[in-house]
Amino acid sequence: MTNAPPAPSTVDDRSGAPATRPHIPELDGLRGLAIAGVLLFHAGHLSGGFLGVDLFFVLSGYLITDLLLRDRQLSLPRFWGRRIRRLWPALAVLLVGVTLLTWAFGTPDQLRGALADGPWTQLNLANWHLLAESAGYWDRFGPGRVFGHLWSIAVEEQFYLLWPLVVLALRRERAVALAAGLGSVLSLGLMVLLAEPDRVYTGTDTRAFSLLLGALVAVPAVRRWVLRRVPSWVVLPLLAGLAVSWLLVDGEHSPILFQGGLFAHAAAAALLIVLAPGSVLARGLAWRPLRGLGLISYSLYLWHWPVFLLLGKEQTGLDGWAWTLLVCAVSLALAVLSKVFVEDPVRFRASWARGHTGLVAFAASMAVVALTWIAVPRPAAAVIDTGALGGGGAVSANGPKASRVLFMGDSIAVGLALPLAAATKASGLTLKSVAAAGGGGVVGPLAEMTWAELPGTIAEFRPDVLIYQVTTYDWGSAAEQRAGYERLVKAAGQAKVLFVTMPPIKPDEFYAAHLDELARTATVLREVAAGGRAEVLDAGQVWGATYQRDREGKVERSTDGIHACPAGAARFTAWLLDALAARFSGVTKVSPETWANTGWSADQHFKGC
């Protein structure tokens, strides 16, 4: 068999598409392998199946760059119009359909997640939204995120928007190849530098190398060089290497992935894409069932994750392979319906989907989807029992006067800040929260992100009180922790620092190696506070000594074992307000009725409650 590339021909999608190579069935087979890996990963049967997404990225970079370079009269509006017709109709139907299904059959958490994530997904910014929400890929995006898997669609769409501009600006194949090569190396460098698994895995900048390596081998000169220099039998070890990696790697617990392993995987996938057509693997990759899976891979990817959540093991009463077969069958059926009745008609046959009418139809469909986020009723806010939160009182005359409070912490503190903002406003205080999901600490691996902004924030806000909620990332030795906390006391200037101990969390694989370090923080804090400019508040009075989901008949902690639920956040707020009133003058001990049920408990941050 030969590795010679197929002769050029034209693609008839009735859209004025440029001349391109004929359809390559082997690439459909690779798509089929990719989507199969993703489904098995999300079903819990293949630890490295998430690498199927990387194979999708490389394929996308390859096919799009090949298309752009063959278009001798490259028109960006025409290119983007084809991309919209290819991708948007199925996505629009999914967004509306899944939201309505979640409203009808899902949990309140799932509906909150859909309504919060949907607009960002519609704008192709889902990956950055999930990172801002500290929704990790490796914990399946947190509870209830039916659109969480669409982070990868956002990465591809951002590539489709930006990369054609680069190709149009450069035009020359060698320049495009150089840009793709240098861009992929720069992206790899960012991944290694940033290191944090969720950030680097779902960030566009740190995943661009997969798309750009595909773009690199799509350049005809590079592709010809590979076909001349690399023997066709190399496809066998390449495919075997990919298979072994999919079997053995384990996401965030395989640090080699983020030290070059993902780059190596993408490079192997890029070579496989070039070498597979016409190789000894051609017949196997062109196997009709595998090709068929590849042909519906886009719609199958769209639908599988919502199906997995809405038809979960608890809802169906099934487990293991019986559950996997059910949800995969339903996903396949929905994918076929999407392709037959939505994707292909708009892409190939609908004349109204082109030109000015196509632009109007696209704008109208965007408006309809946007209205979905407004029209679908939100889940009712949790009602806080104010009877257990104490009563009101007079303005405190204790200690120095306080009027401005700066609140710090991680994603736990983000949730606690919601009722705290309502309560401090009612009590006459001005609260500024700089709590940050996926950060916010002054010690540990993410501390420098905090320190880059904190001195300026303190100088501008001039707080009387600085409250630091110990974060789940306050890792390090005792000396490192002491240095971070002392640095905070010094940076606070004249403000009194109140350290609040961390709520107990449920041990899991991610935190297991750091539980001793986190447990030590209370001791280190008391040593730092001994100097008199800081004080330690023991939050064990609120949360207890160990993680407890229910306290006194109320759900106070999330099922994720980390965050607070509205009832717990309200209890914390009442406790903290009492602590402030006991130490500072000018703090009104207001009745909980003034702040406890003012709408904050409906915030989508309270997931798993």
Side-chain angles (χ1 to χ4, degrees):
M1 294 186 178
T2 176
N3 273 341
S9 71
T10 58
V11 167
D12 180 19
D13 68 353
R14 306 180 189 229
S15 61
T20 187
R21 291 184 295 158
H23 194 80
I24 303 174
E26 293 86 348
L27 299 189
D28 289 331
L30 286 175
R31 284 195 190 94
L33 290 176
I35 190 61
V38 172
L39 263 64
L40 290 174
F41 169 68
H42 282 153
H45 299 296
L46 185 62
S47 64
F50 63 89
L51 292 171
V53 172
D54 297 65
L55 181 52
F56 276 130
F57 282 167
V58 181
L59 278 163
S60 294
Y62 177 84
L63 293 170
I64 290 302
T65 305
D66 180 69
L67 181 68
L68 291 168
L69 291 176
R70 288 176 180 276
D71 192 346
R72 298 303 179 186
Q73 297 178 332
L74 178 58
S75 165
L76 292 181
R78 187 176 65 187
F79 169 81
W80 286 326
R82 289 197 303 271
R83 288 293 87 201
I84 290 171
R85 287 193 299 275
R86 172 68 184 94
L87 301 173
W88 171 245
L91 181 59
V93 171
L94 174 94
L95 291 174
V96 175
V98 167
T99 301
L100 294 177
L101 288 170
T102 305
W103 171 67
F105 304 109
T107 67
D109 271 351
Q110 290 169 343
L111 182 55
R112 289 190 190 97
L115 296 175
D117 300 342
W120 298 99
T121 304
Q122 182 180 357
L123 295 173
N124 294 314
L125 294 171
N127 62 321
W128 296 112
H129 167 67
L130 291 172
L131 284 171
E133 291 286 303
S134 193
Y137 181 85
W138 310 110
D139 62 5
R140 308 298 194 269
F141 322 109
R145 299 199 109 112
V146 292
F147 298 136
H149 65 307
L150 298 179
W151 72 272
S152 65
I153 302 298
V155 170
E156 291 199 32
E157 292 281 17
Q158 292 161 34
F159 175 76
Y160 296 153
L161 180 66
L162 298 176
W163 182 240
L165 297 173
V166 176
V167 174
L168 182 64
L170 299 177
R171 297 298 298 180
R172 293 170 60 89
E173 291 181 0
R174 288 186 178 180
V176 172
L178 182 62
L182 291 177
S184 61
V185 172
L186 177 61
S187 176
L188 169 64
L190 286 172
M191 170 174 274
V192 174
L193 179 65
L194 294 176
E196 202 280 316
D198 283 318
R199 167 62 180 87
V200 301
Y201 193 73
T202 53
T204 306
D205 50 353
T206 49
R207 299 313 316 285
F209 61 77
S210 296
L211 290 148
L212 291 173
L213 286 174
L216 177 63
V217 296
V219 175
V222 176
R223 188 165 63 239
R224 288 192 296 269
W225 185 90
V226 172
L227 291 170
R228 285 197 306 266
R229 300 296 181 91
V230 182
S232 63
W233 58 261
V234 171
V235 297
L236 294 174
L238 283 174
L239 189 61
L242 294 185
V244 169
S245 66
W246 289 21
L247 287 169
L248 297 183
V249 300
D250 188 18
E252 63 181 339
H253 303 299
S254 299
I256 192 173
L257 286 173
F258 312 103
Q259 298 165 358
L262 284 169
F263 187 90
H265 179 275
L271 288 175
L272 185 61
I273 289 167
V274 175
L275 297 173
S279 72
V280 294
L281 291 178
R283 180 173 296 180
L285 291 174
W287 182 45
R288 186 179 296 273
L290 192 59
R291 286 181 57 199
L293 199 61
L295 289 171
I296 62 168
S297 59
Y298 173 60
S299 48
L300 183 54
Y301 185 83
L302 292 183
W303 281 100
H304 84 279
W305 182 246
V307 169
F308 281 27
L309 288 181
L310 296 176
L311 292 180
K313 296 175 181 179
E314 291 184 4
Q315 290 87 343
T316 61
L318 299 176
D319 201 354
W321 281 103
W323 174 77
T324 300
L325 291 173
L326 171 66
V327 292
C328 286
V330 173
S331 301
L332 280 167
L334 291 170
V336 170
L337 290 173
S338 174
K339 181 169 177 59
V340 172
F341 293 107
V342 179
E343 297 170 53
D344 287 352
V346 175
R347 184 182 181 193
F348 297 118
R349 297 188 293 276
S351 58
W352 55 262
R354 294 166 176 77
H356 293 298
T357 57
L359 184 60
V360 172
F362 172 62
S365 64
M366 285 285 286
V368 169
V369 174
L371 286 173
T372 302
W373 319 127
I374 301 171
V376 174
R378 264 64 178 167
V383 177
I384 305 301
D385 178 9
T386 59
L389 300 178
V395 178
S396 169
N398 302 315
K401 182 174 177 57
S403 61
R404 293 183 300 277
V405 178
L406 184 64
F407 187 57
M408 298 179 60
D410 59 4
S411 59
I412 295 176
V414 170
L416 298 176
L418 296 169
L420 189 58
T424 51
K425 182 178 180 180
S427 67
L429 297 173
T430 299
L431 178 80
K432 182 179 181 63
S433 173
V434 291
V442 296
V443 63
L446 306 177
E448 290 310 310
M449 292 191 297
T450 303
W451 285 113
E453 303 289 340
L454 184 59
T457 299
I458 292 174
E460 179 181 352
F461 184 62
R462 294 179 292 112
D464 304 304
V465 184
L466 189 156
I467 302 173
Y468 180 77
Q469 168 69 69
V470 174
T471 83
T472 56
Y473 284 94
D474 277 24
W475 307 341
S477 65
E480 291 169 333
Q481 291 169 332
R482 184 178 298 105
Y485 299 142
E486 288 177 344
R487 184 181 179 185
L488 179 61
V489 173
K490 182 177 180 181
Q494 298 303 310
K496 179 66 176 285
V497 177
L498 298 179
F499 291 112
V500 180
T501 59
M502 195 185 83
I505 62 175
K506 187 192 300 181
D508 63 13
E509 292 183 2
F510 182 73
Y511 289 109
H514 304 286
L515 290 178
D516 289 342
E517 299 165 72
L518 293 174
R520 189 200 309 124
T521 57
T523 300
V524 176
L525 288 172
R526 291 186 179 92
E527 294 172 358
V528 172
R533 291 179 55 198
E535 186 176 348
V536 180
L537 303 183
D538 182 8
Q541 299 171 36
V542 179
W543 309 114
T546 59
Y547 168 83
Q548 301 172 59
R549 178 158 163 72
D550 302 298
R551 282 171 59 86
E552 299 178 5
K554 300 178 180 65
V555 176
E556 294 197 343
R557 303 293 298 278
S558 170
T559 54
D560 65 15
I562 299 170
H563 298 93
C565 288
R571 184 202 290 264
F572 173 87
T573 296
W575 168 79
L576 187 57
L577 201 61
D578 283 347
L580 289 173
R583 290 163 175 79
F584 302 97
S585 59
V587 181
T588 304
K589 289 189 62 178
V590 293
S591 171
E593 281 80 3
T594 63
W595 57 266
N597 289 300
T598 54
W600 56 266
S601 61
D603 191 276
Q604 60 91 28
H605 184 86
F606 296 111
K607 297 187 185 303
C609 295

